[in-house]
Amino acid sequence: MDITASMVKELREMTGAGMMDCKKALAATEGDMDKAVEFLREKGLAAAEKKAGRIAAEGLVATNVSADGKVASIVEVNSETDFVAKNEKFQTYVAEVAAQAAMTSTTDIEAFLAEAWAADTTKTVKEALASQIAVIGENMNIRRFEKITAENGFVESYIHAGGRVGVLVEVESNVVNDKTKAIAKDVAMQVAAISAKYLSSEDVPAEYKEHEKDILKAQAMNENPDKPENIIEKMIIGRLKKPFIDVCLLEQAFITDEDVTVKKYVETAAKEAGAEMTIKKFVRFETGEGIEKKSEDFAAEVAAQMAK
């Protein structure tokens, strides 16, 4: 397979590895981008998951939180262009989708689309979407949603960069006031800034741990080809902790005070507020996360539109 300059550029942007290293990785993996990332990680040439996903699609993330903070939803609605994402009609529509998600009893996107649209019950959610596409003049998609109901506490939300990233954090707390909400907001901002995969190391699946161990083992063997396998196994024990700290919210260094973990920050701040608080769950949506958007020649696209 021919390795193109654009493939090398894409892999370099994903991993931060050098151009020649990226080219070698793609050649070794026959152009398979995912395998090339793994190849570079094993050689110690790529940061572990520098990018969680290729952010390419446009649109907005929105949240909806009930007045008592007990029920909250988060949605991602995609559009073709950033121009439409900034359109007031589109923003209003996305807010309505978030309100719909806060009322739904389903977790399935197809079932959600088949529900009656709350703003006009003569239509389904899918039919209301089709109407918006006709009005706005651009293809749109309700990509995903999630709803959280807090049993013994509240849900806090945070929207970053005008809807590029949205976060919900569920908190169990015996006190709900401005102070405890501010603590939860800090945690939500942490989630937005430093994306985590899991709440704590206890939640990390065995498969993920085994996968990371294999990567670190291959990396250590490449760095120390003369050492026996049993020594390599001992060498990577300490290294194994770091990947899990990076992906576990409660064990991350708190963004405004790196001397404490997020868990310790919550415990200390809650005590000062006269409360007992536990972070139960978080949801983070980033617009276009993991969606590959085809690259287009903008000038050619305009010319084609003018020719119609």
Side-chain angles (χ1 to χ4, degrees), residues 38-45 214-227 232 235-236 239:
E38 296 288 275
F39 179 91
L40 289 169
R41 287 188 63 197
E42 288 176 2
K43 298 294 183 186
L45 298 169
D214 290 343
I215 293 289
L216 290 172
K217 187 175 179 180
Q219 191 181 98
M221 288 176 74
N222 280 312
E223 291 170 357
N224 306 275
D226 300 326
K227 290 192 183 295
I232 293 290
M235 285 174 61
I236 66 172
R239 293 191 195 181

Side-chain angles (χ1 to χ4, degrees), residues 18-281:
M19 194 174 294
M20 291 307 296
D21 291 321
C22 288
K23 191 172 182 180
K24 286 176 185 175
L26 286 163
T29 57
E30 300 181 337
D32 186 307
M33 199 62 68
D34 291 335
K35 287 181 181 177
V37 171
E38 296 288 275
F39 179 91
L40 289 169
R41 287 188 63 197
E42 288 176 2
K43 298 294 183 186
L45 298 169
E49 299 176 5
K50 186 179 178 186
K51 291 190 176 182
R54 293 186 69 246
I55 311 305
E58 304 301 337
L60 284 176
V61 173
T63 59
N64 182 288
V65 182
S66 62
D68 62 2
K70 293 287 187 184
V71 179
S73 65
I74 183 168
V75 299
E76 178 189 353
V77 182
N78 297 126
S79 61
E80 289 183 61
T81 64
D82 184 49
F83 178 76
V84 162
K86 293 174 181 175
N87 178 290
E88 191 176 340
K89 279 188 177 140
F90 180 75
Q91 292 173 356
T92 300
Y93 169 68
V94 176
E96 289 175 345
V97 176
Q100 179 86 25
M103 295 184 289
T104 192
S105 58
T106 185
T107 57
D108 177 71
I109 191 68
E110 291 303 320
F112 180 71
L113 291 170
E115 287 181 348
W117 179 238
D120 180 357
T121 53
T122 64
K123 298 176 181 177
T124 62
V125 173
K126 189 172 184 177
E127 288 166 345
L129 172 62
S131 298
Q132 288 296 319
I133 292 169
V135 170
I136 291 173
E138 194 171 292
N139 191 32
M140 290 154 49
N141 177 48
I142 301 173
R143 185 186 178 204
R144 53 183 171 165
F145 71 94
E146 191 157 340
K147 177 181 175 180
I148 295 178
T149 302
E151 298 294 334
N152 301 300
F154 62 96
V155 182
E156 188 58 62
S157 72
Y158 176 66
I159 294 290
H160 180 70
R164 174 60 64 182
V165 177
V167 175
L168 293 180
V169 173
E170 181 189 351
V171 179
E172 187 176 281
S173 178
N174 61 339
V175 176
V176 180
N177 59 23
D178 289 345
K179 287 182 179 179
T180 54
K181 286 181 180 179
I183 295 166
K185 181 76 77 177
D186 285 342
V187 175
M189 290 172 75
Q190 170 94 15
V191 174
I194 308 176
S195 180
K197 286 180 176 293
Y198 309 103
L199 185 61
S200 72
S201 54
E202 294 173 4
D203 302 308
V204 179
E207 312 88 75
Y208 183 89
K209 289 181 179 178
E210 206 55 42
H211 177 71
E212 287 301 311
K213 184 180 177 182
D214 290 343
I215 293 289
L216 290 172
K217 187 175 179 180
Q219 191 181 98
M221 288 176 74
N222 280 312
E223 291 170 357
N224 306 275
D226 300 326
K227 290 192 183 295
E229 191 171 338
N230 65 318
I231 299 299
I232 293 290
E233 289 280 352
K234 291 177 183 176
M235 285 174 61
I236 66 172
I237 291 172
R239 293 191 195 181
L240 267 172
K241 294 178 182 177
K242 190 175 184 301
F244 307 139
I245 289 171
D246 290 342
V247 299
C248 296
L249 173 63
L250 297 180
E251 286 146 47
Q252 288 178 348
F254 185 48
I255 196 166
T256 60
D257 182 358
E258 294 188 352
D259 291 333
V260 300
T261 63
V262 172
K263 183 179 181 179
K264 188 65 179 174
Y265 161 71
V266 172
E267 287 174 354
T268 304
K271 189 175 181 180
E272 289 173 359
E276 292 178 8
M277 292 178 67
T278 305
I279 307 301
K280 301 294 289 181
K281 181 179 181 179

